[in-house]
């Protein structure tokens, strides 16, 4: 029987949390945009795309969904994130209200989404002197809900790379392990870059590199 191929085009990660917790700034930091102190609140949702290198060396497309935190946009945000594979729930360590509302967001996710992988970010760690939620309190909460917890700063990038790497690689491993249950399934990362005209095309998957012929142009995946 021929191997089945599951093509992984991209990993989609969504951000949820109250307004003004820094979701947009975190997304901008991931995109390597310049940090801006005053960012307008997101209305509806915003899609951002970049490339990301996994721990195993493979490069994938990373799609970020930045959503509005206002209650009137909550249903829109949840509808947008139905197709995501992982969600970063964000609160502001200088705001007790945003921390308390994490429970609300977790309940909304449980009721409306199809079990995405979750992590918790306590953002604005650069404003440590204004801190209202201690690391221990947030960590205890995360442990109660079986979440991995990271403290981050969109301004300094503290904790951001670590937290992002964790959720992306966990999502990827979850996808791979799920499809490995079928011994005939091969995961293929879809990534194309046009090269000079040649007679060959390569596909790179988790289980090796395959070559196939093509008449005119070639692409490397």
């Amino acid at each position: 029987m021929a191997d089945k191929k599951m093509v992984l085009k991209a990993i989609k990660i969504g951000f949820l949390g109250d307004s003004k917790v820094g979701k947009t700034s975190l997304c901008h930091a991931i995109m390597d945009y310049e940090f801006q102190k005053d960012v307008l609140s997101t209305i509806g949702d915003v899609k951002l795309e970049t490339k990301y290198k996994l721990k195993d060396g493979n490069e994938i497309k990373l799609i970020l969904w930045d959503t509005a935190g206002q209650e009137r946009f909550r249903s829109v945000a949840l509808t947008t994130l139905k197709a995501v594979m992982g969600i970063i729930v964000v609160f502001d360590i200088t705001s007790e209200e945003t921390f308390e509302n994490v429970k609300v967001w977790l309940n909304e996710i449980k009721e409306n989404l199809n079990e995405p992988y979750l992590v918790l970010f306590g953002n604005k760690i650069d404003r440590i002197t204004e801190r209202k939620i201690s690391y221990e309190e947030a960590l205890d909460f995360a442990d109660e809900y079986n979440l991995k917890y990271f403290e981050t700063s969109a301004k300094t990038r503290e904790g951001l790379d670590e937290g992002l790497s964790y959720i992306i690689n966990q999502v990827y491993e979850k996808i791979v392990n799920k499809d490995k249950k079928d011994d005939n399934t091969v995961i293929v990362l879809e990534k194309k870059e046009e090269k000079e005209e040649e007679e060959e095309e390569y596909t790179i998957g988790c289980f090796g590199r395959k070559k196939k012929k093509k008449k005119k142009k070639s692409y490397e995946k």
Side-chain angles (χ1 to χ4, degrees):
M1 181 182 294
D3 289 343
K4 298 177 182 178
K5 291 184 179 180
M6 194 285 286
V7 178
L8 181 60
K9 295 182 179 180
I11 287 180
K12 303 174 184 177
I13 302 294
F15 286 75
L16 282 177
D18 284 7
S19 181
K20 300 296 185 180
V21 296
K23 301 186 299 297
T24 298
S25 293
L26 287 169
C27 287
H28 287 181
I30 294 168
M31 298 294 295
D32 287 327
Y33 297 164
E34 184 177 353
F35 177 78
Q36 296 181 349
K37 184 177 180 180
D38 297 315
V39 178
L40 295 176
S41 296
T42 301
I43 297 177
D45 53 68
V46 176
K47 178 183 178 182
L48 300 170
E49 295 185 10
T50 186
K51 292 180 180 179
Y52 190 87
K53 182 170 287 189
L54 299 162
K55 287 181 178 179
D56 63 9
N58 281 310
E59 190 177 70
I60 52 95
K61 179 192 292 184
L62 174 62
I63 297 176
L64 305 173
W65 281 105
D66 178 22
T67 63
Q70 299 96 322
E71 186 172 353
R72 67 182 183 275
F73 294 122
R74 189 169 295 171
S75 61
V76 175
L78 292 166
T79 299
T80 297
L81 299 187
K82 284 187 179 296
V84 302
M85 305 157 187
I87 291 180
I88 297 172
V89 181
V90 185
F91 72 92
D92 176 355
I93 66 163
T94 72
S95 168
E96 294 180 353
E97 181 180 2
T98 65
F99 178 65
E100 292 170 357
N101 284 340
V102 169
K103 292 182 181 179
V104 176
W105 288 109
L106 293 177
N107 287 333
E108 293 282 6
I109 292 169
K110 182 177 180 180
E111 293 176 5
N112 294 280
L113 303 182
N114 187 26
E115 299 183 348
Y117 198 93
L118 302 176
V119 298
L120 180 64
F121 278 14
N123 195 37
K124 302 188 183 181
I125 193 65
D126 53 285
R127 295 168 58 183
I128 193 69
T129 58
E130 303 171 52
R131 176 170 214 147
K132 298 291 178 61
I133 307 301
S134 70
Y135 175 79
E136 291 75 18
E137 183 179 1
L139 186 60
D140 287 344
F141 175 87
D143 287 342
E144 180 183 349
Y145 284 85
N146 197 29
L147 301 174
K148 187 74 172 178
Y149 176 60
F150 297 91
E151 296 204 324
T152 61
S153 167
K155 182 178 181 179
T156 67
R157 295 190 67 96
E158 181 178 353
L160 177 56
D161 294 330
E162 180 185 3
L164 185 67
S165 174
Y166 179 84
I167 188 170
I168 291 174
N169 282 281
Q170 288 295 316
V171 166
Y172 174 66
E173 290 172 13
K174 181 179 180 180
I175 294 170
V176 171
N177 290 333
K178 177 181 178 181
D179 285 275
K180 275 184 178 178
K181 292 179 181 179
D182 183 346
D183 292 337
N184 295 317
T185 299
V186 177
I187 310 297
V188 178
L189 295 179
E190 184 174 89
K191 172 180 171 293
K192 298 182 179 180
E193 292 182 1
E194 190 170 346
K195 299 179 67 179
E196 295 179 3
E197 291 192 3
E198 297 174 354
E199 292 294 325
E200 298 172 342
E201 180 178 351
Y202 291 91
T203 58
I204 300 177
C206 298
F207 301 167
R209 178 179 171 116
K210 297 181 180 180
K211 181 191 295 182
K212 61 181 181 180
K213 292 182 179 180
K214 191 172 182 179
K215 292 182 179 180
K216 295 184 179 180
K217 288 189 177 181
S218 68
Y219 297 83
E220 183 166 339
K221 293 184 179 180

